[in-house]
Amino acid sequence: MQEMDVYAYPPGKLTENEKKLPCARFFTDYPLHKPSPIYQQALDQGPMDPKDAIPAQEWLSLLDIAEKGYRDVMYGYCMMPDGSAFYIEYSTSPVTWQGKWRRWYGNWYNRYSKSTKPEEGNIRYKIWNPIEHWDHRFINGKDDSEGVWSHETLDVGKTGDPSKGIPQISYRMNLREYGLSEEREAELAAKDVRVEGFWEEFPGHPGHHLVLRFSRPCPLGGRESVNCEWLGYYPKDGQILRDESTPCSEEMVKNILIHNTIERQHLYEVLPDLYEAYKDKDLDED
């Protein structure tokens, strides 16, 4: 019999100053579980067949199933024939999950506790994925309209020190500029389908990533989400363009999928308690 295992948090993960912060208990007291058995089974089967992936130039075809239905493969990763990489991640939220928790957290972890020191990163972001997250903030200090800056590793803890990761800036896309019609957008919204597109760059490092995701009511209750990412593509002037300088490998795209899987699982566990503890406090309160 196998048990759902947890990741070990390396020694020295929090500074002495961070350990004194009240929110530190949400880092230390909630173990980070490895992928659930169903996800792990899919990962153990190796990469998906590229024919079951979505080519980047057809990225909006993901929305063909946004109202109902599923693709042949809903969780997997692969290299693509042109040397880029792709993954698709399917997940469901608990029936008890409340969207207001996630909206609050998106605002809270993009700011800093007043006692945090600049060289320490952002403990609020570290809580989400203790083995890989280091820092996160709004570029303009107030919202994501000018991009969101982050710093993390994406090798499932192999580096052992998230501060040694690379920076990333994520920009929200206007999907109307990239083929999503006003009529289709309204149809999806009427069915409570929420769609988001992003692109990512890595200051000081080569490459771009393209992201498209949607969530919808789950037939069994709660919501189900589908998240896709194309390593080696970016949007510009209404077109989806290839960036051949983007580092891509089968191990890399698999690790990014695992990273997203475990942090999503973890947020479902820790966020309800974190929200209750901080929802009525000032945004910079420790």
Side-chain angles (χ1 to χ4, degrees), residues 10-127:
K13 199 65 177 181
L14 295 181
T15 67
E16 291 305 312
N17 179 59
E18 287 177 314
K19 291 175 183 177
K20 298 174 185 177
L21 300 178
C23 67
R25 67 184 178 89
F26 293 99
F27 181 100
T28 58
D29 296 357
Y30 292 75
L32 179 67
H33 291 91
K34 294 184 178 181
S36 72
I38 297 299
Y39 286 138
Q40 190 59 56
Q41 181 178 343
L43 292 164
D44 289 344
Q45 291 176 350
M48 64 193 288
D49 190 322
K51 73 177 179 58
D52 293 318
I54 302 173
Q57 297 293 347
E58 302 171 18
W59 73 311
L60 286 182
S61 69
L62 173 65
L63 302 184
D64 292 346
I65 62 162
E67 293 181 57
K68 62 180 181 179
Y70 304 91
R71 295 183 59 82
D72 289 344
V73 176
M74 293 295 293
Y75 185 89
Y77 65 93
C78 67
M79 294 295 294
M80 299 295 279
D82 65 356
S84 64
F86 169 84
Y87 75 76
I88 182 169
E89 175 200 10
Y90 171 83
S91 64
T92 57
S93 65
V95 176
T96 56
W97 184 255
Q98 297 184 40
K100 67 180 182 181
W101 298 340
R102 183 63 182 86
R103 290 190 293 273
W104 169 85
Y105 185 59
N107 197 27
W108 190 74
Y109 80 85
N110 276 297
R111 292 170 170 80
Y112 297 89
S113 296
K114 59 187 177 185
S115 298
T116 298
K117 299 178 181 179
E119 67 272 16
E120 293 176 322
N122 189 339
I123 188 173
R124 298 173 171 193
Y125 184 51
K126 296 176 186 180
I127 287 170

Side-chain angles (χ1 to χ4, degrees), residues 191-193 215-219 221-224:
K191 302 230 176 134
D192 197 16
V193 178
S215 70
R216 67 188 180 194
C218 180
R223 294 185 70 82
E224 52 187 359

Side-chain angles (χ1 to χ4, degrees), residues 214-241:
F214 72 79
S215 70
R216 67 188 180 194
C218 180
L220 302 177
R223 294 185 70 82
E224 52 187 359
S225 300
V226 182
N227 180 45
C228 287
E229 185 165 345
W230 293 263
L231 283 63
Y233 281 88
Y234 68 103
K236 184 176 181 181
D237 299 331
Q239 299 184 65
I240 301 302
L241 304 178

